[in-house]
Amino acid sequence: MLLGVIADDFTGAGDIANTLAKGRPSEGGLAVVQYMGIPAGPAKPSVEAGVISLKSRSVPAADAVAQSLAALAWLKDQGCRQIIFKYCSTFDSTREGNIGPVGEALAAALGVRGVIVCPAFPTVGRTVHQGHLFVHDRLLNESGMENHPLTPMPDANIRRWLSLQVKGPVGLVSAATVRLGPDAVRTALDASGKMGETLVIVDAATDDDLVVLGRAAADAPLLTGGSGIALGLPGNFITAGLAKGNEASYEGCDGPEAILAGSCSGATRGQVELHARAHPVLPISVDSVMAGATVPGDLVAFIQGHAGRKPLAYSSGTPQDVQAAQSRYGRDAVAHRLDTLFADTARRLVDGGVKRLVIAGGETSGAVAQALDLGALRIGPEIDPGVPILVSERRGISLALKSGNFGRASFFAAALDALKGPPHD
């Protein structure tokens, strides 16, 4: 294994696995496998990049650090030359972490400073300029992320936000330096490291900027960022003759289908609204779940009762609804009950024969993936930017795990069609 990724949630893991498998059109991608947690045994020799999916974004910082260091140890045992710490392109974190503590711990374990921090993903509108994170034309704290139920982001200045999470100073490599090319970026990062800056925010507004960062980091033991940070990395290994590249194909998976959505993002709410116009949907009341009146059997009965019609069960309230529920029951209690509901529902559905499964929301996807015991996942074609088809040979199913903010308006129906695969003559 050449490259290892430690992802702080399951949708983000699929996102960067997709980037690594796809690569740039002129260069190609790597042979990638996504793991649900830290594997118990060694990777297959054919794996060039391994992506470990953790559910560490919203746990206590000390737990996130411990999980990430354990993942690092396994990846080093596989021979990885380079490690990426993957987090969301909206820098989902609190004042306490977990991006900063995990990034510092990984850097300390690898003995490096001047480590790139870049959540930019221009394809979906995430860019970084002068250390400020934008979502399309809006600052992060004006994009809706300030209302996130678990990791509200009130500050678009990610250099300042990261400084609250770490022990040492945080550096900045500005857009002007990035536009000078890989050598200038490498020199700037080296200078930051000599000044004691372990983590360094690096501006990026285009895919070309991300390729520059990839070239600059060709020999870097550690990078951190969104999936875009990996854009230029496969070409480094392929050009050096170290990787053969990705030749995987996808033949499709037919059979019963289900959609479960636990994201409260504006994008997911819009996708639910559009899907409801032509397909059966089941709204889930948080009050009903907390009272024990809505249970997994109710969701299973709904999905099975509408087989073949792309049924969707969802809990996707407005920010005001979410805040009200958290005030009544507690944030952690609500998250736990909803995660458990969706996880148990997904397990019963797959045990009952569902073959195509679409899940929306990072926390929901993590809970479902852990409950299903999926094994190593093969990376299939991209459905939408950041969302690939995932194939679990252990369970004989195909999945799409969607971050809340990703996907076109008609994503749910389109994803199920994509999982079915191309038409056969």
Side-chain angles (χ1 to χ4, degrees):
M1 190 181 292
L2 300 168
L3 188 151
V5 179
I6 301 167
D8 69 355
D9 82 335
F10 285 67
T11 57
D15 181 2
I16 197 167
N18 175 65
T19 300
L20 291 168
K22 187 172 61 172
R24 300 179 69 213
S26 60
E27 298 169 338
L30 302 177
V32 185
V33 170
Q34 180 178 345
Y35 303 100
M36 301 292 103
I38 302 170
K44 292 182 179 180
S46 59
V47 178
E48 295 172 342
V51 181
I52 294 180
S53 315
L54 300 178
K55 199 170 184 290
S56 58
R57 179 173 298 172
S58 303
V59 302
D63 293 343
V65 168
Q67 292 178 33
S68 301
L69 290 176
L72 173 65
W74 185 86
L75 290 168
K76 289 175 66 177
D77 286 345
Q78 310 314 304
C80 287
R81 300 171 179 231
Q82 190 167 61
I83 302 296
I84 303 174
F85 169 38
K86 161 68 175 71
Y87 39 80
C88 189
S89 58
T90 46
F91 213 69
D92 297 16
S93 56
T94 66
R95 294 173 64 92
E96 293 75 30
N98 291 341
I99 293 174
V102 171
E104 276 193 326
L106 294 174
L110 292 168
V112 293
R113 287 182 174 176
V115 176
I116 289 175
V117 175
C118 185
F121 191 1
T123 301
V124 293
R126 278 70 160 158
T127 58
V128 182
H129 182 69
Q130 299 296 350
H132 290 70
L133 181 54
F134 289 81
V135 178
H136 298 292
D137 62 343
R138 299 191 178 190
L139 288 164
L140 177 67
N141 59 301
E142 300 172 358
S143 69
M145 279 302 299
E146 67 273 23
N147 297 316
H148 192 284
L150 296 179
T151 53
M153 294 296 295
D155 194 350
N157 186 332
I158 56 174
R159 185 185 190 186
R160 182 165 57 208
W161 192 246
L162 188 62
S163 295
L164 300 174
Q165 304 175 14
V166 298
K167 299 175 182 177
V170 177
L172 173 67
V173 175
S174 70
T177 300
V178 174
R179 303 294 158 76
L180 294 176
D183 289 342
V185 172
R186 193 178 301 113
T187 298
L189 291 170
D190 288 343
S192 289
K194 291 176 181 177
M195 290 189 295
E197 296 169 345
T198 297
L199 302 178
V200 182
I201 308 295
V202 184
D203 285 352
T206 67
D207 284 352
D208 288 342
D209 290 341
L210 291 172
V211 172
V212 168
L213 301 192
R215 298 293 181 261
D219 298 319
L222 176 67
L223 301 88
T224 85
S227 65
I229 198 64
L231 187 62
L233 300 182
N236 293 338
F237 293 106
I238 294 171
T239 300
L242 297 172
K244 296 180 180 179
N246 176 38
E247 299 179 355
S249 61
Y250 180 68
E251 296 181 357
C253 179
D254 205 351
E257 78 284 11
I259 308 168
L260 302 175
S263 169
C264 296
S265 74
T268 296
R269 296 200 311 274
Q271 290 158 350
V272 168
E273 181 179 353
L274 180 61
H275 194 79
R277 297 177 188 175
H279 306 283
V281 301
L282 176 67
I284 299 167
S285 161
V286 173
D287 289 331
S288 179
V289 174
M290 298 305 291
T294 296
V295 296
D298 298 323
L299 278 65
V300 172
F302 171 80
I303 297 290
Q304 293 177 340
H306 294 88
R309 299 178 58 197
K310 299 177 179 170
L312 161 66
Y314 71 95
S315 174
S316 300
T318 66
Q320 294 75 20
D321 293 337
V322 172
Q323 290 172 3
Q326 290 178 340
S327 296
R328 287 194 296 274
Y329 307 109
R331 189 192 75 171
D332 293 341
V334 171
H336 174 72
R337 291 291 290 273
L338 288 175
D339 284 352
T340 300
L341 174 70
F342 284 119
D344 290 347
T345 298
R347 184 169 50 242
R348 294 189 191 191
L349 288 170
V350 172
D351 289 345
V354 162
K355 295 295 183 182
R356 293 176 292 146
L357 194 59
V358 176
I359 310 296
E363 296 297 320
T364 305
S365 293
V368 167
Q370 289 177 322
L372 290 179
D373 188 24
L374 297 168
L377 296 178
R378 183 162 53 86
I379 310 302
E382 184 178 67
I383 300 170
D384 271 351
V387 190
I389 291 173
L390 303 174
V391 181
S392 171
E393 295 178 354
R394 175 181 293 178
R395 297 304 300 264
I397 63 174
S398 292
L399 309 93
L401 305 179
K402 184 191 86 74
S403 176
N405 288 307
F406 283 11
R408 72 192 92 164
S410 59
F411 176 81
F412 291 131
L416 285 178
D417 290 340
L419 294 177
K420 193 171 184 178
H424 298 283
D425 296 332

